[in-house]
Amino acid sequence: MIQNHSDLSTRTFVDVHAIQEELDQVRWGLHADGGGSEAAQHAAAEARASVLNLIAVVGNEPELGAISSVLDRLSITNPSRTLILLAQHTRAADKLEAQVSAQERTESGHRVTTERVILHAHGEPARHLASLAAPLLIPDLPVILWWPGRPQFDSSLFDDLCELADRLVVDTDEGFDDADLARLLKVARRKNAQASIGDLNWARLIAWRHVAAQFFDMPGMLARLAQIHGVSIFHGSDGSMAQARLLGGWIRSRMATVGIDVPIEFRPDDSLEHGVRRFLIYTGGAEGAARFSMIRHRGGRLSTHIRLGDQDVAERTVRLESRATEELLSIELTLPGHDVLFEQALDAALR
Amino acid sequence: MAQAVTTPLSQNILRDGLILPRTPDPAAMVIFGASGDLTARKLMPALYNLALNRYLPSGFSVIGVADTALTEDEFRAHMEQAVQKFSRTQPVDRAVWQSLAEGISYVRMPFDDESGYGRLAAELDRLDRERGTNGNRVFYLATAPQFFSVIIDRLGSSGIARAGEGWKRVVVEKPFGNDLKSAQALNQAIHSVFTEQQIFRIDHYLGKETVQNVLVFRFANGIFEPIWNRRYVDHVQITVAEDIGIERRGKYYETAGALRDIFQNHLLQLLSIAAMEAPPNFDADSVRDEKVKVLKSIHPIDVGKDVVRGQYGPGWVGGQQAPGYRQELNVSPTSNTETFVAVRLKIDNWRWAETPFYLRTGKRLPSRASEIAIQFKNPPHLPFAKTAVEELTPNWLVMRIQPHEGASLKIAAKIPGPVMRLRTVNMDFFYGSSFMVESPDAYERLVLDCMLGDATLFAREDEVERAWGLVDRIEAGWASQPPPSFPNYAAGTWGPSEADALIEPDGRRWRRP
């Protein structure tokens, strides 16, 4: 796999028209002086694929490098225009800086070009960055707002950006407590909410949900799902429970659709520091009790077992991908509209 | 506390929101020809990747059947090596492989040995008992075609194909026959044991993401369908070009030729999906009904006028000297097998009447390319002074299957300046630039579809027979002609000059893909 990454252009600006002009230039290689780098001219020689606008909100300067790296890797699968907002309200002097760049990547013979604008605001302009972001978006493409860390739910910037966005993506595994989860649900369900909610933590649970569902695809097992009488979720010992709560919320909310209230037991498991370790589903059934268990192992694997009475009837090992942030983001970026299942799981997790 | 549910669940509600509507039922896949190339290169890596991505059910089992002297452990080791060598995902996850390998067993037997089928039945029974495969079986014929009938016959006479509970399906690799008569005979032989719903005739081309994307391109974009007809389309060119020769397949190729190897299946599949009407939905019969209608509507071919054949002689391809076909391994030095075919077709229906479709395929052409190219009609009049309609390059819409999967639209644009001068510009969409993710191998998709019982991407009996009918007509036409003067094109060129003579009198030219 050959990968090439070259900056086509990097310039610093302070007003929106100058930024727009430079974006046009890096997108199409149309430098007013007829110049522009060879790479920019090359990129302009053909139509370009873009699939979305992505706005990432960064809390402080040290985070900027890490977020930029994630976005670099994300751009391979999601050619996009990216705006990175670094809003620092606390600094006294009002200041606004913007940096425009375009990156070209070649991988497996395909070329992808993405534009990036870093908007760095201090003081009052930091509260109004949404007004600067809006005119910089590519028309007619979805706008995704990625807010790493815990969003500033009470800030006007959060509200303004949610107005602008088609989807808000967070990661509830980054220190979200119950109050944060409740705020997130409120955002998802507020009247006329345009932005649907995506959660990287929810994307991490796809494999668990998939394997749990597969148990009940097996012949004769669906009847047992109707006789579910409990679930145990063992989670890492670091005190972070958002992932376990969400998994529990998922199965509770699914079973609630057929009128079954499932008691969920959460237990810490010292063998693992973080995340869900074991997910056990207990059911009744004509031939006695059954336990469906999924156990996460180091090395990205999940072993699954079905125990009917005192007999193990099916065992297997499958992959449990430890997905990088950009992969999780990529999953969330392709989901259309409101994720009703996620919202129901979140709701059930809070009950 | 959980409340009792008086009525059973009608569906698995935990599956809501997940991509796959369901997991296949636990099943045993019996691979005939398990020590062969296809199993090692395609089937086992596909099964491993399906297992890796959690698409296979618990209890899924594989029985390899071949006449090669191997112990069960040796067979598993051979399969592991194959996965390590040919899997698209690397490195191979040992724990996942082990989990899959626990369900792999091996039965050594000649394919016509009745007692061998007794041992196979016993092994299947064991899997039902121990791994819960519940009588569900996929019989995968990954053998040379001459064994298809005998295997089907023995599966029927031994009772394996019908025994007990569960579903039974059979996958048949191409070539499915070598003419209409043999295809009908094979269909008849298979139907004596399996119903059409149980038969999955594989053409791996249909499992390719980009072939499926042609259907999405046509039927999920409202802007193309209104102009996808005789009123706006001048003609269509479908090309499957290979820059390689016949590799080490001389023995097979001598009996097949380009007509059977590519035209009968890949080219006609591409024709069908390019020309078909929109199906009411994407289920197996709806899609295949529309594809068959296209084949039924093909105007009778005048072989003398509408078909050109060729065979490559020595030449240069990609800077490398290439031998002529007659110099290839296991090829007769006087062979008249065609390595190039070009065909002009017309489709007698309201959408395409009088719109020619030019199809071509060949070996040792200058580059590898599979594409469907549509040339639109020129505008009837240009309002720009001193610019003749004839000066314009026509609008082309090209859907590339491989390589560089994607689409291109060629449009006219004004050259900047005080004078109205027009120039053609290509707008390219590279599938990989928008979805730069690794696509699953075609076999993964097709094996999974078979296990789910979805035959949409498999050829149906009438589809196969229609295609062979067309091939037979061409063969009969050739038989009545004097022997061709082969070779008639040099390796590294776009086929014989007769191919140009096929299209140029119509006022058209072959594209350079």
Side-chain angles (χ1 to χ4, degrees):
Chain A
M1 188 176 286
I2 301 164
Q3 191 177 96
N4 173 46
H5 175 185
S6 61
D7 277 346
L8 302 180
S9 172
T10 304
R11 295 185 181 188
T12 303
F13 297 89
V14 289
D15 81 85
V16 69
H17 298 295
I19 298 168
Q20 283 175 315
E21 193 175 321
E22 180 64 6
L23 275 170
D24 286 343
Q25 288 172 354
V26 298
R27 184 168 177 80
W28 302 114
L30 303 174
H31 277 277
D33 56 5
S37 70
E38 193 180 328
Q41 297 284 358
H42 190 55
E46 63 180 62
R48 297 241 303 278
S50 301
V51 294
L52 55 93
N53 294 287
L54 180 63
I55 303 174
V57 183
V58 179
N60 53 55
E61 284 169 79
E63 276 181 19
L64 186 60
I67 297 300
S68 295
S69 300
V70 170
L71 294 175
D72 273 348
R73 294 189 293 270
L74 180 73
S75 69
I76 296 169
T77 49
N78 294 270
S80 57
R81 175 168 293 176
T82 305
L83 311 181
I84 302 178
L85 312 187
L86 175 51
Q88 295 182 300
H89 314 289
T90 50
R91 297 213 180 175
D94 290 356
K95 192 176 173 184
L96 178 62
E97 288 174 354
Q99 191 182 66
V100 178
S101 63
Q103 288 84 34
E104 181 182 87
R105 287 171 174 279
T106 312
E107 190 162 303
S108 305
H110 298 299
R111 190 166 55 246
V112 171
T113 308
T114 55
E115 302 107 15
R116 179 174 302 165
V117 182
I118 300 174
L119 298 171
H120 189 170
H122 306 160
E124 196 58 21
R127 298 181 206 287
H128 303 287
L129 271 178
S131 71
L132 183 52
L136 300 179
L137 302 169
I138 300 175
D140 298 325
L141 284 180
V143 178
I144 313 294
L145 171 62
W146 176 35
W147 201 300
R150 294 167 66 217
Q152 298 160 9
F153 287 112
D154 295 325
S155 72
S156 58
L157 180 64
F158 178 78
D159 283 340
D160 292 346
L161 289 173
C162 283
E163 285 287 313
L164 205 59
D166 297 292
R167 190 168 183 81
L168 164 67
V169 180
V170 297
D171 186 354
T172 57
D173 201 34
E174 291 196 26
F176 273 56
D177 57 21
D178 278 4
D180 293 324
L181 295 178
R183 298 291 294 275
L184 189 63
L185 185 62
K186 204 171 157 189
V187 171
R189 292 190 166 170
R190 66 185 164 192
K191 263 189 185 170
N192 305 321
Q194 175 167 324
S196 59
I197 308 290
D199 178 11
L200 305 190
N201 212 15
W202 178 242
R204 285 185 195 97
L205 291 173
I206 289 174
W208 292 93
R209 292 162 52 206
H210 190 177
V211 172
Q214 283 181 323
F215 281 138
F216 301 99
D217 283 337
M218 295 176 69
M221 296 299 173
L222 190 57
R224 288 188 173 272
L225 184 58
Q227 299 188 52
I228 184 170
H229 57 71
V231 164
S232 296
I233 301 175
F234 293 71
H235 55 85
S237 54
D238 67 352
S240 158
M241 283 197 55
Q243 197 175 99
R245 297 292 299 273
L246 209 50
L247 185 60
W250 166 69
I251 198 157
R252 280 196 84 183
S253 61
R254 290 295 84 217
M255 297 314 299
T257 62
V258 289
I260 301 175
D261 180 26
V262 183
I264 314 274
E265 172 197 40
F266 294 99
R267 292 170 65 178
D269 184 328
D270 290 339
S271 64
L272 196 76
E273 194 181 333
H274 187 79
V276 175
R277 160 77 168 146
R278 281 191 284 172
F279 182 29
L280 310 176
I281 300 170
Y282 302 96
T283 76
E287 302 100 39
R291 187 187 68 201
F292 300 84
S293 57
M294 290 151 273
I295 304 172
R296 176 179 149 205
H297 301 281
R298 294 186 196 283
R301 282 190 287 279
L302 198 60
S303 62
T304 72
H305 309 262
I306 301 176
R307 192 164 179 82
L308 292 181
D310 57 359
Q311 278 198 317
D312 285 322
V313 294
E315 294 183 23
R316 66 175 177 147
T317 303
V318 294
R319 180 168 62 165
L320 178 65
E321 307 91 338
S322 175
R323 295 186 192 273
T325 305
E326 62 272 13
E327 289 178 76
L328 296 166
L329 256 178
S330 196
I331 291 169
E332 284 298 325
L333 298 183
T334 54
L335 296 176
H338 280 258
D339 186 345
V340 176
L341 258 65
F342 168 68
E343 291 171 16
Q344 289 173 346
L346 193 55
D347 192 8
L350 290 164
R351 285 176 195 273
Chain B
M1 198 63 198
Q3 291 135 26
V5 172
T6 49
T7 51
L9 298 177
S10 59
Q11 61 178 41
N12 184 351
I13 50 178
L14 299 187
R15 192 156 274 290
D16 293 350
L18 295 170
I19 292 170
L20 262 191
R22 65 191 173 94
T23 308
D25 300 327
M29 177 177 282
V30 182
I31 303 176
F32 291 92
S35 58
D37 223 27
L38 181 71
T39 306
R41 284 176 178 271
K42 293 293 180 187
L43 290 183
M44 201 48 75
L47 290 173
Y48 164 74
N49 279 293
L50 288 172
L52 187 68
N53 291 305
R54 304 181 296 272
Y55 289 131
L56 293 183
S58 286
F60 175 78
S61 307
V62 175
I63 304 175
V65 176
D67 196 18
T68 308
L70 290 170
T71 66
E72 208 147 82
D73 284 343
E74 284 168 343
F75 177 67
R76 275 194 283 262
H78 176 49
M79 291 297 102
E80 184 175 5
Q81 284 165 9
V83 169
Q84 280 169 347
K85 192 170 176 188
F86 298 114
S87 168
R88 67 181 171 86
T89 55
Q90 296 287 350
V92 170
D93 186 315
R94 193 151 174 79
V96 172
W97 167 255
Q98 288 292 357
S99 181
L100 178 65
E102 281 171 15
I104 295 179
S105 53
Y106 182 70
V107 173
R108 184 190 173 189
M109 63 184 226
F111 299 133
D112 59 352
D113 173 20
E114 287 183 9
S115 67
Y117 287 83
R119 283 182 282 126
L120 176 60
E123 178 61 9
L124 285 164
D125 286 345
R126 181 187 73 80
L127 294 176
D128 285 348
R129 282 193 315 275
E130 294 180 9
R131 294 181 60 83
T133 47
N134 299 314
N136 300 320
R137 285 106 169 77
V138 176
F139 302 104
Y140 201 115
L141 308 192
T143 65
Q146 65 262 33
F147 297 114
F148 291 172
S149 292
V150 71
I151 293 170
I152 296 289
D153 177 69
R154 298 294 188 275
L155 286 173
S157 61
S158 65
I160 292 176
R162 296 193 187 89
E165 296 178 349
W167 47 257
K168 315 282 183 284
R169 294 173 192 142
V170 61
V171 182
V172 188
E173 274 287 335
K174 84 173 183 100
F176 194 89
N178 54 22
D179 55 19
L180 177 57
K181 198 175 159 192
S182 60
Q184 284 171 329
L186 184 54
N187 274 329
Q188 204 174 0
I190 301 179
H191 279 149
S192 68
V193 179
F194 297 98
T195 64
E196 181 62 27
Q197 285 69 36
Q198 294 175 286
I199 305 168
F200 292 73
R201 298 174 191 83
I202 210 164
D203 179 347
H204 73 272
Y205 232 59
L206 287 177
K208 285 181 181 287
E209 290 279 321
T210 42
V211 172
Q212 293 162 51
N213 196 39
V214 174
L215 294 170
V216 173
F217 194 88
R218 283 195 59 197
F219 302 127
N221 293 293
I223 59 170
F224 297 116
E225 204 48 27
I227 56 170
W228 208 269
N229 55 50
R230 64 191 301 271
R231 192 167 170 198
Y232 297 99
V233 173
D234 178 77
H235 75 282
V236 179
Q237 292 187 21
I238 303 178
T239 302
V240 175
E242 295 177 285
D243 53 1
I244 56 170
I246 53 164
E247 312 279 85
R248 293 187 307 175
R249 297 162 66 221
K251 204 171 161 190
Y252 158 73
Y253 205 84
E254 277 285 87
T255 62
L259 195 64
R260 290 186 173 84
D261 190 41
I262 302 289
F263 177 85
Q264 186 271 341
N265 38 73
H266 301 337
L267 263 182
L268 289 181
Q269 288 290 353
L270 292 183
L271 170 73
S272 299
I273 61 174
M276 68 191 265
E277 299 297 317
N281 54 52
F282 206 62
D283 69 34
D285 276 334
S286 298
V287 172
R288 298 189 298 181
D289 284 347
E290 296 305 333
K291 286 166 64 188
V292 170
K293 279 185 203 166
V294 173
L295 298 177
K296 278 184 183 171
S297 308
I298 292 174
H299 188 82
I301 293 174
D302 180 339
V303 178
K305 288 182 183 166
D306 295 327
V307 183
V308 166
R309 56 180 157 164
Q311 185 194 80
Y312 62 85
W316 289 78
V317 185
Q320 304 278 327
Q321 196 160 19
Y325 176 72
R326 290 175 176 179
Q327 287 79 53
E328 301 273 17
L329 187 69
N330 294 327
V331 170
S332 160
T334 57
S335 172
N336 277 336
T337 300
E338 79 287 352
T339 62
F340 177 95
V341 178
V343 180
R344 175 176 46 208
L345 294 174
K346 285 191 177 165
I347 297 173
D348 291 337
N349 63 21
W350 275 41
R351 184 188 284 267
W352 295 118
E354 297 305 316
T355 308
F357 283 70
Y358 300 95
L359 280 59
R360 65 177 163 168
T361 181
K363 295 246 176 227
R364 291 274 192 230
L365 300 184
S367 58
R368 183 171 75 104
S370 296
E371 62 170 38
I372 298 167
I374 290 147
Q375 184 190 317
F376 291 91
K377 290 181 176 170
N378 277 335
H381 164 71
L382 276 188
F384 312 113
K386 295 184 181 173
T387 308
V389 170
E390 299 76 44
E391 290 173 19
L392 276 180
T393 311
N395 296 121
W396 278 98
L397 175 64
V398 181
M399 287 172 290
R400 293 183 303 272
I401 311 299
Q402 63 184 22
H404 311 307
E405 300 87 342
S408 298
L409 182 62
K410 194 183 267 190
I411 56 170
K414 180 182 177 298
I415 298 173
V419 186
M420 182 62 77
R421 291 165 59 220
L422 307 185
R423 188 172 180 187
T424 303
V425 182
N426 234 25
M427 291 172 62
D428 275 336
F429 157 67
F430 284 93
Y431 197 48
S433 298
S434 291
F435 306 98
M436 204 178 270
V437 290
E438 196 170 12
S439 296
D441 185 82
Y443 274 88
E444 289 172 41
R445 169 68 194 261
L446 295 173
V447 165
L448 186 62
D449 278 3
C450 171
M451 291 182 61
L452 288 166
D454 181 353
T456 307
L457 300 178
F458 295 82
R460 203 169 58 187
E461 176 186 20
D462 49 354
E463 199 177 348
V464 167
E465 292 185 3
R466 284 275 166 190
W468 278 122
L470 203 57
V471 167
D472 277 7
R473 190 180 177 92
I474 294 172
E475 285 280 7
W478 285 347
S480 67
Q481 292 173 354
S485 56
F486 283 168
N488 59 352
Y489 71 97
T493 65
W494 283 106
S497 56
E498 291 92 327
D500 296 327
L502 178 78
I503 192 171
E504 286 173 1
D506 299 346
R508 302 176 178 109
R509 299 186 63 177
W510 288 109
R511 278 174 45 77
R512 180 173 49 77

